Amino acid sequence: MVLDDLGSSLRGSLDKLRGKSRLDEEDVEEIVKEIQRSLLQADVSVDLVMDLSEDIRERALNEEPPGGTSARDHVLRIVYEELVGLVGESTDLPLESQTIMLAGLQGSGKTTSAAKMAWWFSKKGLRPGVIQTDTFRPGAYDQAKQMCERAEVEFYGDPDNDDPVDIARKGKEELSDVDVLIVDTAGRHALEDTLIGELEEIERVVDPDRNLLVLDAAIGQGAKDQADEFESAVGIDGVVITKLDGTAKGGGALAAVDRTDSSIAFLGTGEEVQDIERFEPSGFISRLLG
Ligand code: GDP
């Protein structure tokens, strides 16, 4: 962990501890307040922020720093460990054959993320393909096809078929020779029974190894309900946070990670196929606090 990963005001509070050998409650409270301010501004839910604050207070005041460690380094280590605990490790994605299904509301960035992920796997030397089952949103087929062409990955969709489950079944046959099959699904404006029912059927047909929930970085407090719905319908193994190139920092998505007991797999950072990053805790923490 480098100090640069933390926001400047938090760095300032930590710097005040320079030369101190023991922490008192006031020192810890100042640091906790700085962290709270940054995380709440980044849309992290109040519950998660409160739990984290309690853990930091408890550990900073009760844990004995290892011999020779300054008060500042001691609290810095605890803060970092707790923040890593908050954001989690990256979703495990072995570089081998697998099927991944994407779920999420309309506009969250599923179609874009499907092509981006396919591009990412192709750069790792695997042969990916995308199935577009979104028959609901006009333009979804063309958008997916064009993005997959740009990513130079295989694609299956059928603009003349309005049955997403049938498209999924045929796509699976058509793309039987790819290594990584990525299945894009339709989203609606809100969670409706038909959307969830359709998703469950597609899941039965494609039998994914992983289901990823795609969330807009600006999701805020709505993440919890979405996560609960998708988790109970198909089970969520990881989260993709999109649009991190905008002003939103994506902290709301952590509630979804928490509710589904999952982790973050990818971050979307733009509209082009190569605008994708594998999630990695320290970079995300500096984004949240920065
Ligand atoms: P879907 O309805 O969930 O399939 O969402 P789309 O993939 O169509 O994305 C909705 C809009 O968000 C499109 O205009 C995308 O270009 C845009 N978008 C998706 N991901 C990102 C991203 O990471 N950054 C930016 N700036 N725009 C994105």
Side-chain angles (χ1 to χ4, degrees):
M1 154 85 167
V2 283
L3 209 52
D4 287 350
D5 282 342
L6 303 176
S8 57
S9 48
L10 181 56
R11 257 195 328 259
S13 301
L14 281 161
D15 271 339
K16 284 196 214 152
L17 302 179
R18 210 181 276 280
K20 273 201 171 193
S21 57
R22 285 211 80 80
L23 289 164
D24 57 38
E25 263 178 54
E26 225 172 288
D27 298 328
V28 174
E29 212 41 51
E30 179 172 337
I31 288 160
V32 165
K33 283 265 148 28
E34 292 289 353
I35 295 172
Q36 287 179 341
R37 204 181 351 254
S38 306
L39 295 181
L40 291 171
Q41 250 168 29
D43 288 332
V44 180
S45 78
V46 175
D47 290 352
L48 290 178
V49 173
M50 290 307 149
D51 287 349
L52 179 97
S53 308
E54 206 36 62
D55 291 346
I56 293 175
R57 276 190 200 107
E58 222 270 317
R59 291 187 57 192
L61 293 170
N62 297 327
E63 273 181 27
E64 204 50 47
T69 310
S70 68
R72 175 175 165 278
D73 288 352
H74 174 58
V75 75
L76 179 60
R77 188 176 53 86
I78 291 170
V79 164
Y80 188 64
E81 282 173 7
E82 291 297 327
L83 286 167
V84 171
L86 172 74
V87 304
E89 298 293 337
S90 200
T91 309
D92 193 29
L93 290 173
L95 294 176
E96 59 189 34
S97 296
Q98 59 195 293
T99 299
I100 298 173
M101 184 173 84
L102 300 185
L105 294 193
Q106 183 170 331
S108 57
K110 286 180 303 303
T111 301
T112 311
S113 299
K116 285 177 178 181
M117 285 168 52
W119 177 84
W120 185 88
F121 277 109
S122 77
K123 292 295 152 205
K124 300 286 174 194
L126 290 159
R127 188 158 173 226
V130 172
I131 305 178
Q132 170 58 279
T133 70
D134 187 351
T135 57
F136 182 79
R137 179 163 65 86
Y141 170 84
D142 289 334
Q143 180 196 355
K145 186 164 182 285
Q146 281 164 17
M147 284 203 83
C148 287
E149 276 166 11
R150 263 181 275 153
E152 297 180 23
V153 296
E154 303 223 20
F155 170 74
Y156 180 85
D158 183 354
D160 299 322
N161 188 344
D162 62 5
D163 178 353
V165 181
D166 189 46
I167 296 176
R169 189 177 298 113
K170 289 183 174 141
K172 199 178 168 181
E173 280 165 24
E174 284 291 318
L175 299 183
S176 60
D177 56 346
V178 304
D179 301 320
V180 181
L181 190 60
I182 298 171
V183 184
D184 187 15
T185 61
R188 310 282 201 267
H189 293 295
L191 290 157
E192 301 147 25
D193 292 346
T194 45
L195 164 64
I196 295 293
E198 189 179 291
L199 197 63
E200 286 169 344
E201 274 191 72
I202 294 172
E203 204 216 9
R204 261 193 296 280
V205 166
V206 296
D207 189 22
D209 299 289
R210 281 177 195 81
N211 297 326
L212 302 184
L213 177 64
V214 180
L215 295 172
D216 186 319
I219 177 87
Q221 307 308 313
K224 214 161 90 176
D225 290 344
Q226 272 190 51
D228 287 348
E229 280 281 350
F230 285 112
E231 171 76 353
S232 72
V234 292
I236 294 301
D237 306 293
V239 169
V240 178
I241 309 179
T242 63
K243 309 184 196 179
L244 279 165
D245 49 315
T247 51
K249 293 188 171 160
L254 292 174
V257 173
D258 182 54
R259 300 294 284 194
T260 57
D261 203 12
S262 69
S263 51
I264 307 172
F266 286 107
L267 307 178
T269 56
E271 294 188 78
E272 299 301 325
V273 285
Q274 64 274 21
D275 294 332
I276 180 165
E277 287 173 18
R278 192 80 162 88
F279 169 79
E280 166 273 309
S282 64
F284 193 72
I285 289 170
S286 52
R287 253 182 239 258
L288 282 183
L289 297 177

